[in-house]
Amino acid sequence: MFYRTCLQATAALASISLLAGCSLFSGESTERQQKITVGTMSEPTTLDPAAAWDGSWELLSNVFQTLVSFPSGSAAPQPDAAKSCRFTDSSNKLFECELKPGLTFSNGDKLDAQAVKYSIERIRTIDAQGGPNGLLGSLDKVEIAGDRIVKFSLKTPDATFPFILATPAMAVVPPKEYPADKLREDGGLTGSGPYVLSSYKKGDRAELTKNSKYEGFAKLKNEAVTIRYFQDSDVMVGELKKKKIDTIYRGLTAQEVVKFQSKQPEYGGLQLVETVGADIRYLVFNSKDPMAGKLAVRRAIAQVVDRGALVAKVYQGTAEPLYSMVPKGISGHTTEFFDRYGEPDVAKARAILKDAGITKPVPLTFGYSSDRYGSASKAEFVELRRQLDATGLFKITVEGKPEKDFRKAYQAGEYPVFGRGWFPDFPDPDNFVAPFVGKNNALSMPYESPEITDQLLPASRRESDRGAVTKQFERAQEILGDDVRLLPLWQGKMYVASSEEIGGGELAINPQTFMQMWQLYRKASW
């Protein structure tokens, strides 16, 4: 409509219209051209990188810089704040980065080697519960040489260390604004990334503006981004239809995706971009719970969960059954849980329980986040309850809580079983196994597996060729399938919905499945 109106006006009053409203140089039109509004149901749980090991990375990755990063389409980390990075030995234990000269934070403070060292060490000092210190298990010490050289000494060989440095948790922060021994609590955020967080209102929105001091790989195609946080998918899509927002990422229900794909009249003027996803959903069993702590109970559940029915009923082709913690598309993927348990079989599950002396229906509460992964989460857990109750072997209660309260609840051990999703820190099989095992893991749910942590992971990390670590991860998944402390459910696809006047959606999702907001732009109207 804007296009046709401008053409008509230009035909009649070319010189006047150019100055009066149809020109991209007018104030209102220019502002609209250069600002993008994104809707999502993935709100950050923290603004401090030292506590972030979850979807908070989406916002942080747009405001902070890391030494290396994952531009769209990259399979390995590329320099960002660093000019170059490399292992300086043959055993993958000494890693060195040289910073670009003259870097500053958005507040004008110098970004130098000391700031990098400070940022990494405060993660270890603070050691936030469920925070990213678990990623730094192989790190021994950080040293600097002058203003621009940072040297990392590792305890053991770790070819994945550059991938870890590329995670937003390893963001470089200005020491003057981030305490060394505690989290920043003033609600502010100061970085050196593509954008500056100009304002943040919890539960509502984050306002990002272009960082004029930024020097990195990103080429900004807009001047500002508003990220609006929603609790309901229908409301979010309604705002897109009314053009109150321009783009949606994270939170579309399967039903909404199907409607976009079928091009129903009410979705006119909108578009949907689909990309291969590496995000997964899985169940976590609390080993300290009287019932979920029993191996027979866990194996019986693995024996009867029908992933095909779950995906068909709840996700309608927007996801696919997953039988491994390592998803399709990542080296080391297997179908361990299908190979071991096969199709759902109530008789086999009953026999498993009977052999363990369990003859009465097992009561369990399944917890889930009501606002972290979209509106379909409730339907997913209702379907799981239906499946398990129908066997006569279980009596399931489901309970959903907002993400903030839910995290506190499962970290406190309140749920026998709970659901989580995993968006990869980096595209490597290590990242679908290592975060979930060991005493200090991403779930705050200790899972001791010496063969994985002491043998398989160290062996794989000595291998620079990441395509050559298949055997170690196949064995790791055999162990996971035997223990059933984690039960993979499905693997998703990634979707970006937007109005047709928005471009860049096909390039916005990076290999870590986060949206690079700077790729979005408003197409020229003429």
Side-chain angles (χ1 to χ4, degrees), residues 97-173:
C97 290
E98 179 184 356
L99 290 170
K100 294 174 180 174
L103 293 178
T104 62
F105 293 100
S106 59
N107 65 356
D109 289 357
K110 184 166 69 170
L111 194 167
D112 57 10
Q114 181 58 45
V116 174
K117 183 175 186 290
Y118 181 91
S119 301
I120 300 298
E121 290 184 340
R122 73 183 292 268
I123 294 173
R124 306 173 81 186
T125 300
I126 294 170
D127 192 18
Q129 184 179 24
N133 190 31
L135 289 169
L136 294 172
S138 65
L139 179 63
D140 181 21
K141 60 183 178 180
V142 185
E143 299 175 297
I144 62 175
D147 283 347
R148 293 173 53 200
I149 302 296
V150 186
K151 299 180 179 182
F152 301 92
S153 298
L154 308 182
K155 301 172 188 175
T156 57
D158 188 358
T160 72
F161 190 71
F163 292 74
I164 293 168
L165 288 180
T167 66
M170 305 301 145
V172 188
V173 301

Side-chain angles (χ1 to χ4, degrees), residues 234-283:
D234 291 337
V235 173
M236 183 167 61
V237 173
E239 292 292 89
L240 180 64
K241 292 176 182 177
K242 292 184 288 187
K243 295 193 174 182
K244 296 293 184 63
I245 60 177
D246 300 305
T247 301
I248 288 175
Y249 182 51
R250 298 204 195 281
L252 286 174
T253 65
Q255 293 81 3
E256 287 157 351
V257 169
V258 171
K259 289 178 181 177
F260 272 102
Q261 292 172 333
S262 62
K263 301 185 182 300
Q264 296 185 11
E266 62 182 302
Y267 289 80
L270 302 179
Q271 60 184 338
L272 187 72
V273 174
E274 176 184 322
T275 61
V276 176
D279 62 311
I280 66 173
R281 298 294 186 276
Y282 56 97
L283 295 178

Side-chain angles (χ1 to χ4, degrees), residues 44-57 60 64 119-136 167-171 173 178-185 403 407 410-411 420 422 425 440-444:
T45 59
T46 178
L47 297 183
D48 193 322
W53 198 357
D54 60 10
S56 303
W57 287 4
L60 303 186
F64 287 105
S119 301
I120 300 298
E121 290 184 340
R122 73 183 292 268
I123 294 173
R124 306 173 81 186
T125 300
I126 294 170
D127 192 18
Q129 184 179 24
N133 190 31
L135 289 169
L136 294 172
T167 66
M170 305 301 145
V173 301
Y178 287 81
D181 57 355
K182 63 180 181 180
L183 299 176
R184 180 173 176 174
E185 298 177 347
E403 175 68 13
R407 284 175 62 89
Y410 80 70
Q411 289 175 349
R420 289 308 277 165
W422 185 250
D425 303 331
N440 184 22
N441 63 39
L443 297 167
S444 301

Side-chain angles (χ1 to χ4, degrees), residues 283-305:
L283 295 178
V284 183
F285 292 89
N286 183 352
S287 63
K288 295 183 179 180
D289 181 79
M291 297 309 297
K294 296 180 183 294
L295 179 58
V297 170
R298 302 197 298 270
R299 286 179 173 172
I301 291 175
Q303 189 64 69
V304 295
V305 165

